[in-house]
């Protein structure tokens, strides 16, 4: 690249391309006119080398292992903020002052209830339903009670929808859990903080007053912050894709939840704990054997919670969680054997050339499930917790997309490699 231009040579032709400058991180090469000018498209399965947008929300430096939200270090916001404070930062571009935070917190508290009809919605599911299926369905369902706020081009309607989604997600999540547990739904309480209210709806029973352990509330606050946003990951990109057709915010977020559910993405936190539990229950399985299986191309086994498309260094969130896991388990007085297995697996993997050459490190999902478990959540709720955390990040990215004048409906091209043309054969003449 020279003088702000890149040059693409196609056959004997030079094709100059503009540069898309970045404040930090990778500079871009603008190929937006390549097909019109040259009749060719780029090929990048999984979009590992392709930026689909400019964004000012979150920067991830995979080589350095850095994560910043609107320029603030994840370590600083995780240590010093409430989750709603970080949600405000993501949605409104900077940290709130005391008055702004109080107003924002009150606004969110005002919308925590679900319409009473929604109880029949939850009742319609089998108790065995995975809570992620309920979460995405209920997210679409509640939009039917607020259709006047569904216009994506009306900024005030979008703000109303954003507040309702953030306020109601813990209620939906808790009621999905209560449904699976066969327990009565617990209504939100606006005298509690966001995280305390969620814990109350999750674990309270009508037969006795529930005391919220401040250590558990504090731990969950940090966990939600660590999941709040992470650039153009699979689920956030999905939210942007769906919103680019001008689908409403609820529908776009519900789509993101379904992308998050996959075990290669947010579903990994549940897969990690299930993997560790299998190790614990199988006397023949140890770290060395697990690493051997993970390296064997003919073995479908993967070391869940390891590896990342962007981080080629330790995920800063995993670093925080690893230390946090020790603290939380000690504080709640739980001696979880899965933590020792996880520590042993990590050490063995990080010492192995296969993992070193591919720069495979623990990611956010490797330790988070162990902490969620210590806080009393069942494994099938772990990805739901990830979704509650990621919700402000999804909304912030959707808003940035819908407000960006450069936004067009997302519609990638393909390289067609199928049959070019075949003569039609009536069914009576087909062999
Ligand atoms: C999240 O994008 C985000 O920001 C996501 C996230 C967020 O906050 O939104 O950070 C949250 O989704 C974290 C990732 C959770 N998923 C897992 O833990 C599942 C296990 N990890 C992998 O499946 C994988 O590492 C991915 C999906 C995370 C990344 O996949 P990539 O970038 O497509 O990498 P790849 O599959 O092409 O792997 C590159 C090489 C391969 O070996 P070779 O073909 O070069 O020989 O590394 C190997 C892979 O076989 N590899 C692994 C491995 N991960 C990659 N080998 C064993 N165990 C693993 N976990």
């Amino acid at each position: 690249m020279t003088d702000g231009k890149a040059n693409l040579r196609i056959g004997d032709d030079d094709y100059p391309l503009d540069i898309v400058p970045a404040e930090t991180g990778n500079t871009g090469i603008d190929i937006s006119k390549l097909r019109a000018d040259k009749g060719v498209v780029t090929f990048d399965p999984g979009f590992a080398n392709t930026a689909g947008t400019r964004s000012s929300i979150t920067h991830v430096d995979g080589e350095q292992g850095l994560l910043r939200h609107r320029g603030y270090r994840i370590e600083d916001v995780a240590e010093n903020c409430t989750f709603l404070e970080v949600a405000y930062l993501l949605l409104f571009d900077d940290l709130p002052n005391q008055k702004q935070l109080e107003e924002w917190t009150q606004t969110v508290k005002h919308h925590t209830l679900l319409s009473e009809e929604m109880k029949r919605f939850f009742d319609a599911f089998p108790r065995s339903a995975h809570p992620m299926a309920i979460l995405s369905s209920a997210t679409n369902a509640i939009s039917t009670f607020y259709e006047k706020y569904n216009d994506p081009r009306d900024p005030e309607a979008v703000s109303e929808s954003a507040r309702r989604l953030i306020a109601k997600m813990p209620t939906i999540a808790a009621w999905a859990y209560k449904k699976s547990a066969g327990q009565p739904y617990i209504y939100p309480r606006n005298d509690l903080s966001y995280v305390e209210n969620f814990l109350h709806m999750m674990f309270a029973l009508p037969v006795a007053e529930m005391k919220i352990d401040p250590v558990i509330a504090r731990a969950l606050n940090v966990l939600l912050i660590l999941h709040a946003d992470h650039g153009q990951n699979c689920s956030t990109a999905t939210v942007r894709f769906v919103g680019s057709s001008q689908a409403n915010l609820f529908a776009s977020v519900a789509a993101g939840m379904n992308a998050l559910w996959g075990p290669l993405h947010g579903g990994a936190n549940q897969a990690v704990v299930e993997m560790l539990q299998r190790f614990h229950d199988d006397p023949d399985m140890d770290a060395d054997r697990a690493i051997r299986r993970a390296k064997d191309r003919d073995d479908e086994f993967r070391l869940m919670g390891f590896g990342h498309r962007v981080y080629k260094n330790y995920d800063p969130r995993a670093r925080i969680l690893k230390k946090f896991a020790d603290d939380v388990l000690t504080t709640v007085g739980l001696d979880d054997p899965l933590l020792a297995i996880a520590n042993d697996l990590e050490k063995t993997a990080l010492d192995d050339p296969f993992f070193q050459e591919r720069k495979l490190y623990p990611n956010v999902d490797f330790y988070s499930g162990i902490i969620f478990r210590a806080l009393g959540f069942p494994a099938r709720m772990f990805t739901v917790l990830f979704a509650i955390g990621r919700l402000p990040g999804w909304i912030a990215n959707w808003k940035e997309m819908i407000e960006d004048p450069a936004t067009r409906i997302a519609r990638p091209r393909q390289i067609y490699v199928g049959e070019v043309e075949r003569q039609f054969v009536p069914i009576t003449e087909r062999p």
Side-chain angles (χ1 to χ4, degrees), residues 313-358:
N313 201 324
Y314 214 102
D315 183 333
R317 302 166 298 175
R319 196 185 301 284
I320 295 169
L321 287 168
K322 180 179 180 180
K323 179 187 175 306
F324 208 46
D326 271 324
D327 298 348
V328 170
L329 266 63
T330 304
T331 307
V332 301
L334 185 67
D335 177 20
D336 187 345
L338 302 193
L339 181 58
I341 294 171
N343 286 329
D344 189 23
L345 260 177
E346 175 191 340
K347 186 180 178 318
T348 308
L350 295 184
D351 287 343
D352 187 287
F354 176 93
F355 285 78
Q356 291 168 349
E357 286 154 16
R358 291 163 180 80

Side-chain angles (χ1 to χ4, degrees), residues 127 175 177-186 202-206:
R127 280 181 54 178
W175 285 21
Y177 168 67
K178 286 302 195 187
K179 167 68 193 185
S180 69
Q183 295 175 359
Y185 304 122
I186 300 293
M202 274 289 301
F203 299 118
L205 290 168

